[in-house]
Amino acid sequence: MATQITNTTELQAVNTILSIIGEAPVSSITTNIGSDVSIAKQILDESSVTMQSKGWNFNTEESYSLALDSNNKIPVPTNAIWVTTRSPNSTKKVIIRNGFLYDKENHTYTHSEAINVDMIILLPFTELPEFARRYIVTIAGRRFQARYLGSKELAGFTEQDEATALTTCEQLDAANEKQNILSNDISNRIIYRNSTRRYY
């Protein structure tokens, strides 16, 4: 029977990282784990946050309505790391602060209505597309190699591997977006920033 190839799991990712220092694969990353596994998992998580923080099509929520709570504050999802207002609230200047949407112009956490935003969120490793997982594993492998032993001679990932993984990630993420760069909201803000007319 043919082996079925599936998306990379966190366990497979950690075992790939461990293989760089010649460690045998482990069967679990949740119970009875040693220090090597713990460090590999930590660097994998760190690399995932670093990579996703740049903002990609796969982890950007567009025109997402954030609702008021009973105190007229707007809670932000705990996995959100960046927001910008979206029409019809495009002129509002807000940031995430203490888990809520903070109005920078009026210096307050309270709002009069729900606000539409574009939002970058952090996704669990298993919810990422495969091309993103592979890029994260490559970043984590190079970091693990450099920090754990600091050896350039180890048979790990190279800068070229990371550059190739990044290129693949950018190309596939852009292909998924299926959007004309001249028609999206952010581009219009840049193109027409000196005009009195609004195009978004």
Side-chain angles (χ1 to χ4, degrees), residues 59-62 64 66 76-77 80 82-83 117-121:
N59 73 327
T60 300
E61 294 285 346
E62 297 181 348
Y64 190 98
L66 295 176
V76 178
W82 177 88
V83 296
V117 298
D118 288 344
M119 180 169 59
I120 294 175
I121 60 174

Side-chain angles (χ1 to χ4, degrees), residues 27-93:
S27 58
S28 173
I29 54 174
T30 57
T31 57
N32 299 321
I33 61 174
S35 60
D36 292 347
V37 176
S38 178
I39 292 170
K41 178 65 167 64
Q42 177 183 336
I43 293 178
L44 180 69
D45 291 341
E46 172 194 309
S47 300
S48 182
V49 171
T50 299
M51 183 269 189
Q52 292 191 61
S53 295
K54 295 179 180 179
W56 302 79
N57 178 56
F58 62 77
N59 73 327
T60 300
E61 294 285 346
E62 297 181 348
S63 215
Y64 190 98
S65 181
L66 295 176
L68 296 169
D69 66 9
S70 58
N71 297 312
N72 290 325
K73 293 183 177 181
I74 297 182
V76 178
T78 55
N79 63 335
I81 57 172
W82 177 88
V83 296
T84 187
T85 51
R86 181 86 177 231
S87 179
N89 310 112
S90 303
T91 58
K92 285 184 174 289
K93 293 182 179 179

Side-chain angles (χ1 to χ4, degrees), residues 147-164:
R147 294 181 194 176
Y148 201 84
L149 293 177
S151 173
K152 294 182 179 180
E153 285 70 43
L154 285 173
F157 293 107
T158 65
E159 291 181 5
Q160 182 59 48
D161 291 328
E162 192 169 327
T164 300

Side-chain angles (χ1 to χ4, degrees), residues 180-198:
N180 183 331
I181 190 171
L182 297 179
S183 67
N184 75 49
D185 195 49
I186 295 172
S187 295
N188 279 333
R189 295 187 196 192
I190 296 169
I191 294 169
Y192 300 109
R193 63 185 177 274
N194 295 321
S195 173
T196 56
R197 183 178 176 186
R198 295 189 182 278

